[in-house]
Amino acid sequence: QVQLVESGGGVVQPGESLTLTCAITGPIGGVNRMGWYRQAPGKQREMVATATNDGTINYADSVKGRFTISRDNAKKLVTLQMDNLQPEDTAVYYCNLARISRIGDHTNYWGQGTQVTVSS
């Protein structure tokens, strides 16, 4: 019913930039949260950035000032602009959609992931 497809990953040097794009098909719901998570080798998945339908945005402390999340609700796209990338940003990045019901239940959907590698 709902599918998320990420694109835009790649290999860059420290200080360079990448833009990740997530295309969503299916209903996103009126109340929802879109976001990006990442998982580095040997580590747990962590939140990178999220954006709700009402404009609330959250970033992980490690990416504040460097990453920017944005939503295009008409096109059902969510992007992550990543500037000044560092080796510690190396991870598989996953797009997430959380549909939120009238009683507050969250239903999560995930993309397949896209690899970001930052290396000199």
Side-chain angles (χ1 to χ4, degrees), residues 65-85:
R66 299 189 298 121
F67 290 11
T68 303
I69 188 171
S70 61
R71 296 169 46 132
D72 187 330
N73 295 316
K75 296 181 178 180
K76 295 197 289 186
L77 296 174
V78 54
T79 63
L80 184 69
Q81 176 65 44
M82 304 184 295
D83 296 322
N84 192 24
L85 283 160

Side-chain angles (χ1 to χ4, degrees), residues 7 9 15 18 23 31 41 47 51-52 56 65 78 82 104 110 113 117:
S7 62
L18 282 173
V31 181
M47 186 274 289
T52 68
T56 301
V78 54
M82 304 184 295
W110 297 93
T117 301

Side-chain angles (χ1 to χ4, degrees), residues 2 26-34 53 71 76 97-100:
V2 176
I28 65 173
V31 181
N32 61 76
R33 184 189 70 236
M34 301 176 182
N53 61 284
R71 296 169 46 132
K76 295 197 289 186
L97 168 69
R99 299 198 306 193
I100 305 170

Side-chain angles (χ1 to χ4, degrees), residues 89-100:
D89 297 314
T90 296
V92 177
Y93 284 70
Y94 297 92
C95 184
N96 168 260
L97 168 69
R99 299 198 306 193
I100 305 170

